[in-house]
Amino acid sequence: MTVRTRIAPSPTGDPHVGTAYVALINYCFAKKNGGKFVLRIEDTDRARSTRESERAILDSLHWLGLSWDEGPDVGGPHGPYRQSERSEIYREHVAKLLADGNAFKCFCTPERLEEMRAVQRASKLPSRYDGLCTGLSAEEIAKKEAAGIPYVVRLSVPAEGVCVVNDLRRGAIEIDWGSVDMQVLMKSDGMPTYHLANVVDDHLMEITHVIRGEEWLSSAPKHLLLYKYFGWEPPQLLHLPLLRNPDKSKLSKRKNPTSILFYKAMGHLPDALLNFLGLLCVMPPEGEEIMDLAMMTDRFAVEHISLGGPVFDVSKLDWLNGRYIRERNDLDAFMAKAQAWGFDQAKLRRIAELAQPRIERLSDLGPLLAFFFAGRVAVNAEELRAGKLDDVSLRKALQLATWGFDALASWQTAGIEAVLKDVAARLDAKLREVTRPFYVAITGSPTSVPLYDSIDILGRDIVRERLRVALEVLGGVSSAELKEWAK
Ligand code: GLU
């Protein structure tokens, strides 16, 4: 048997460091065992999936030095490797489940499902489909279909007993069938859900080991049930602990940037970042921390994966990155990397254009432009507060802009300007009152070179982080505020 592993990202946002961590482990496991590593794009959520996100994920993993034997960009014998291109395959499999009585059509309206959930919530029961449509006769189903009533297809789940999930690292875990939902497998628009597509593809792509984040452990019973219904041998399962902040909370972008693109923009070197992720799952040799991919692969062992949450400790990453800068680059290599990071001609030209009308001596350039070549900038709370906006409006402006920028499909001056104008309109404030604190947050000073261009040149990831820092300086945003402002 050839070992085959996969990473199956959903292209719904920035490339996450957790994806790289899981990819690295899958890569090492496959290569250590002389196997193949596959990349599959799980884009069944059509509303949230984008090609830009897919591109960014593939580019970021490549940038880190990871490669795959099969995938949407390199092809392979089990393609297509994008789920949106495999609809027909899923339809056939759903038809088989229905024919065998292992799935059923559910005609319940969203209103009825909401009522059902409200009752369950009130009696503190787990939210779970109550099985109403399992009782429909063949005639009733035919009648509803003829009337054009939309339906989803749900998984039939045993009424009682336990499911045993065998995890390579955690051993046997028992989960009551009673707690497993009759999962929707196919939505009313004929698109499969993650669970169905994931199982069908793992089988057809001959994946032998499914290694993924522990958030999927509770889905394992549904998946195992599908393997059983189809008469397939399930893969071995390994659920990895989630990355944590140093305070042990779940890594989340509200506390710390999670995008690989951010670390790239901060000037972390790809081999240092990969090495850092490797230290979270591979035991380095005694007294050493520097490991390249070949060494990590060689030393990889499932038993070494600790089940306590690995800590994504940025200070450790910085320390390691410093070592790479000093020890793994001669002066020429260092200069080339620094130049590629932040001093390319196109960027310098744009910055020069902004600076030329605003200086008296060339020596003004350094203080005026330093913020373009920095990660975070020092932000003073008094400076932030010095304008006309009160504290709540200030925080709201920073938060709305963060959301607005995140929603921009392309990062350009015009779109950036539109976001800030929209924020001003929502706050019923003058644009100038709104942009003032943004100058402070973005450039570190209330006056500087033009704001929209600066934001554009700095890029999405650095800007998001500077706004996050400014919000933190102002005391942060409460969940209640987030909820209210999200409307
Ligand atoms: N598409 C899922 C994700 O984004 C994959 C989970 C799995 O590996 O099964 O995490």
Side-chain angles (χ1 to χ4, degrees):
M1 175 193 76
T2 311
V3 165
R4 289 173 60 84
T5 64
R6 66 6 176 225
I7 181 80
S10 297
T12 54
D14 285 331
H16 198 282
V17 286
T19 303
Y21 166 71
V22 176
L24 174 63
I25 292 176
N26 274 281
Y27 176 94
C28 289
F29 184 88
K31 297 300 155 182
K32 170 104 190 198
N33 291 292
K36 300 261 188 246
F37 172 51
V38 176
L39 185 142
R40 176 174 74 231
I41 291 293
E42 299 208 325
D43 54 354
T44 53
D45 184 342
R46 300 308 294 148
R48 292 177 56 225
S49 299
T50 66
R51 276 300 169 99
E52 292 77 51
S53 167
E54 175 187 318
R55 185 75 267 155
I57 293 170
L58 298 191
D59 287 350
S60 296
L61 294 177
H62 276 314
W63 175 74
L64 283 170
L66 293 171
S67 56
W68 34 94
D69 302 290
E70 299 168 29
D73 53 343
V74 290
H78 302 277
Y81 292 91
R82 221 177 255 118
Q83 291 187 328
S84 57
E85 294 163 14
R86 299 171 65 82
S87 306
E88 201 40 54
I89 299 173
Y90 308 128
R91 248 192 291 280
E92 286 162 18
H93 284 86
V94 168
K96 172 147 174 45
L97 290 172
L98 283 169
D100 295 347
N102 290 323
F104 62 94
K105 293 179 181 170
C106 170
F107 296 88
C108 290
T109 61
E111 293 75 32
R112 167 166 196 278
L113 294 174
E114 193 30 60
E115 256 168 54
M116 174 194 85
R117 282 188 207 110
V119 172
Q120 289 169 340
R121 266 198 303 274
S123 24
K124 301 222 180 329
L125 289 168
S127 167
R128 184 173 187 261
Y129 181 63
D130 59 6
L132 181 73
C133 288
T134 55
L136 293 175
S137 67
E139 293 78 62
E140 283 170 310
I141 294 173
K143 231 161 115 191
K144 284 180 189 288
E145 274 194 81
I149 300 176
Y151 65 86
V152 300
V153 176
R154 287 182 186 272
L155 177 70
S156 304
V157 176
E160 49 199 32
V162 289
C163 172
V164 181
V165 177
N166 284 306
D167 183 278
L168 278 177
R169 195 65 189 74
R170 293 160 206 260
I173 299 159
E174 297 196 349
I175 300 177
D176 273 335
W177 283 121
S179 69
V180 177
D181 198 4
M182 298 174 216
Q183 180 66 48
V184 174
L185 300 175
M186 184 160 274
K187 294 174 265 184
S188 53
D189 61 1
M191 281 301 277
T193 57
Y194 154 75
H195 303 276
L196 178 84
N198 185 273
V199 165
V200 167
D201 287 349
D202 279 343
H203 174 73
L204 295 180
M205 295 181 182
E206 297 175 19
I207 300 303
T208 57
H209 295 76
V210 165
I211 306 174
R212 61 182 165 202
E214 69 184 334
E215 71 268 37
W216 300 105
L217 185 56
S218 60
S219 298
K222 298 170 191 171
H223 298 180
L224 291 174
L225 199 53
L226 283 167
Y227 282 101
K228 188 171 145 213
Y229 288 159
F230 285 125
W232 298 335
E233 180 75 28
Q236 306 266 342
L237 300 178
L238 171 57
H239 291 91
L240 302 168
L242 295 177
L243 299 181
R244 309 239 156 223
N245 292 307
D247 68 1
K248 284 285 173 183
S249 60
K250 197 181 134 197
L251 200 65
S252 83
K253 64 176 174 185
R254 265 183 72 193
K255 290 209 171 150
N256 236 319
T258 55
S259 167
I260 299 170
L261 297 173
F262 170 76
Y263 292 95
K264 185 179 182 191
M266 284 295 279
H268 289 101
L269 305 183
D271 34 5
L273 181 52
L274 192 71
N275 189 158
F276 169 71
L277 293 172
L279 289 175
L280 304 179
C281 54
V282 180
M283 258 215 290
E286 187 66 23
E288 188 45 283
E289 314 233 43
I290 300 265
M291 288 190 287
D292 64 13
L293 185 56
M295 192 161 170
M296 289 189 254
T297 305
D298 193 46
R299 300 188 60 84
F300 181 81
V302 167
E303 311 77 71
H304 292 163
I305 294 178
S306 115
L307 292 182
V311 174
F312 193 90
D313 180 354
V314 179
S315 56
K316 172 111 194 219
L317 168 62
D318 289 345
W319 169 81
L320 195 64
N321 201 60
R323 280 195 61 189
Y324 270 81
I325 288 179
R326 293 187 298 276
E327 298 169 22
R328 314 284 287 193
N329 291 280
D330 60 19
L331 192 59
D332 287 325
F334 169 64
M335 283 180 67
K337 284 178 188 171
Q339 192 163 15
W341 167 76
F343 300 93
D344 66 274
Q345 279 306 312
K347 175 176 167 184
L348 292 182
R349 199 179 168 83
R350 282 198 67 190
I351 294 176
E353 219 180 322
L354 302 180
Q356 194 179 12
R358 292 178 175 81
I359 59 168
E360 291 170 338
R361 299 157 302 184
L362 296 177
S363 57
D364 296 331
L365 285 171
L368 182 67
L369 302 178
F371 76 90
F372 278 118
F373 307 96
R376 300 178 183 89
V377 289
V379 183
N380 177 299
E382 294 324 305
E383 282 286 14
L384 274 174
R385 291 189 169 110
K388 288 227 170 76
L389 298 183
D390 61 27
D391 248 54
V392 176
S393 306
L394 265 180
R395 288 184 292 115
K396 186 171 178 182
L398 291 166
Q399 183 59 55
L400 291 181
T402 301
W403 284 331
F405 289 156
D406 275 347
L408 283 179
S410 71
W411 192 253
Q412 272 158 6
T413 311
I416 290 160
E417 180 174 357
V419 167
L420 290 177
K421 284 190 167 151
D422 180 60
V423 170
R426 281 170 196 270
L427 288 176
D428 204 10
K430 287 213 184 72
L431 183 60
R432 200 149 16 103
E433 288 160 15
V434 169
T435 52
R436 191 188 182 288
F438 280 86
Y439 271 103
V440 178
I442 299 295
T443 75
S445 157
T447 53
S448 187
V449 293
L451 181 66
Y452 308 140
D453 294 283
S454 301
I455 291 178
D456 184 3
I457 294 168
L458 281 165
R460 217 187 262 279
D461 300 283
I462 292 292
V463 167
R464 185 192 292 126
E465 176 61 2
R466 289 190 190 175
L467 296 184
R468 194 188 68 82
V469 169
L471 268 169
E472 226 165 53
V473 167
L474 293 171
V477 180
S478 71
S479 331
E481 284 174 329
L482 278 181
K483 239 191 185 154
E484 194 194 316
W485 298 341
K487 292 182 203 154

